[in-house]
Amino acid sequence: MTAPPRIFDRQAVRRHRDRAAPGFADVDFLFAAAADALLERLGDVRRDFDLALDLSAGRSGLADRLPARHTIAADLSPAALARTGPGTPRVAADEEWLPFAEASLDLVVSVLSLHWVNDLPGSLIQINRALKPDRLFSAVLMGGETLRELRHCLTEAEAELRGGVAPRISPMADVRDLGGLLQRAGFAMPVADTERLTVRYADPVTLLRELGAMGEANALADRERCALRRDVLARAVELYGARYAGGDGRVPMTVDLIFLAGWSPGPDQPKPLQPGSAKQRLADALDTREVRVPRR
């Protein structure tokens, strides 16, 4: 077996979150919105959970809000994890190497964290194994067209002024790919859907500053270690404003939130019917006439 590609520098991801932790409450609106939406989805699940794990507890704010008797707070960043309440057990854990026993958890959640994982299929498999039979995994991560405006403007500015493009924005998975990963990881009844948010900023520089304050700065493994050139930044800001600014001069940031849910396999779960086992004709249900198409 070959090792998964190293797309992200996980040490850099942790450093960014450590640095962001002291002032994170000032820029946590995106995480709060994602956490509230995930919690609303959990409210539709008619199931009592005993032991829950929040894999993003340092920034999700869900440790005390999950529908479970007990919750373990986990995060890659010890500094972020320190933001959780003192009454909740805390574990500094890497999503790529989960330290939880097989079949030990009833619910696992993650809010805006898994899009920084190199081996997402491997992490999902580990989560599935850590769940007891017929227990729930629910997560939200950034994907789709997230930061599309920033990506386009930075790419064009660098190509114009440098004759080449450095990796600066993370690759984003789409909802179909992520739904397929749930199936590959062995989850039953997988569900993936997406919501688009548009956040408006006074200018692109403020947008970049807040991404850093959130701990979402560039952590690509093959990123340039030097700062973005001033002329490139100025050109990207100019392009951003010219193409995307509204009548009030503010610029948008697109964020696609992809929600995932899946159940660990259990013996009492509904199973799909075998082909040809239907007892009623679809034509009867639709009150129409069935027409057989000749085979070629």
Side-chain angles (χ1 to χ4, degrees):
M1 295 179 64
T2 59
R6 183 172 177 266
I7 303 171
F8 305 112
D9 180 346
R10 294 287 290 171
Q11 291 185 348
V13 173
R14 185 179 62 194
R15 288 196 303 270
H16 292 165
R17 294 182 186 178
D18 285 344
R19 285 199 296 263
F24 183 73
D26 296 330
V27 292
D28 68 348
F29 62 92
L30 190 58
F31 293 79
D36 287 345
L38 185 142
L39 201 62
E40 183 177 354
R41 284 166 163 77
L42 288 177
D44 295 331
V45 178
R46 300 293 179 249
R47 180 73 66 89
D48 294 326
F49 299 105
D50 184 31
L51 182 58
L53 168 67
D54 182 0
L55 276 176
S56 52
R59 303 193 293 171
S60 72
L62 285 180
D64 299 325
R65 303 170 64 196
L66 292 175
R69 292 179 58 196
H70 308 284
T71 299
I72 299 172
D75 201 285
L76 178 65
S77 162
L81 191 59
R83 300 181 65 250
T84 61
T88 303
R90 294 179 285 190
V91 179
D94 189 332
E95 297 100 330
E96 296 185 352
W97 303 94
L98 295 179
F100 302 99
E102 185 173 346
S104 60
L105 303 170
D106 298 283
L107 171 66
V108 177
V109 302
S110 176
V111 174
L112 301 188
S113 180
L114 291 176
H115 55 273
W116 288 113
V117 168
N118 285 304
D119 183 13
L120 185 53
S123 294
L124 293 177
I125 289 171
Q126 291 182 65
I127 292 169
N128 197 354
R129 288 174 179 169
L131 286 167
K132 298 173 185 177
D134 195 27
R135 296 300 189 268
L136 180 62
F137 165 65
S138 183
V140 54
L141 60 161
M142 297 184 194
E145 294 292 311
T146 296
L147 298 180
R148 63 180 182 182
E149 301 91 353
L150 182 61
R151 186 191 308 273
H152 293 162
C153 293
L154 281 174
T155 298
E156 184 169 336
E158 283 204 291
E160 177 183 320
L161 298 177
R162 297 183 57 187
V165 177
R168 301 197 181 276
I169 307 292
S170 300
M172 298 289 175
D174 65 30
V175 65
R176 290 172 296 182
D177 291 338
L178 292 171
L181 288 183
L182 284 176
Q183 290 183 308
R184 284 177 52 192
F187 284 100
M189 298 176 285
V191 176
D193 65 280
T194 184
E195 290 185 11
R196 174 163 292 179
L197 302 180
T198 301
V199 184
R200 297 195 174 274
Y201 286 92
D203 54 73
V205 174
T206 302
L207 184 160
L208 288 168
R209 187 178 299 118
E210 285 210 354
L211 284 175
M214 293 177 189
E216 294 295 308
N218 185 4
L220 290 166
D222 56 352
R223 69 193 183 281
E224 287 188 340
R225 281 356 190 226
C226 57
L228 182 65
R229 273 175 30 183
R230 291 186 178 182
D231 59 335
V232 174
L233 176 60
R235 179 57 175 154
V237 168
E238 180 184 6
L239 290 170
Y240 210 127
R243 292 182 180 173
Y244 300 110
D248 58 357
R250 300 178 71 84
V251 296
M253 176 181 74
T254 295
V255 178
D256 283 346
L257 300 179
I258 300 181
F259 294 84
L260 305 179
W263 294 82
S264 56
D268 299 325
Q269 290 172 341
K271 302 292 190 297
L273 295 175
Q274 294 296 321
S277 62
K279 297 181 179 179
Q280 283 190 310
R281 295 167 64 246
L282 179 60
D284 294 339
L286 298 176
D287 192 23
T288 187
R289 183 170 64 90
E290 182 177 352
V291 178
R292 295 186 179 275
V293 179
R295 295 183 179 179
R296 294 184 179 179

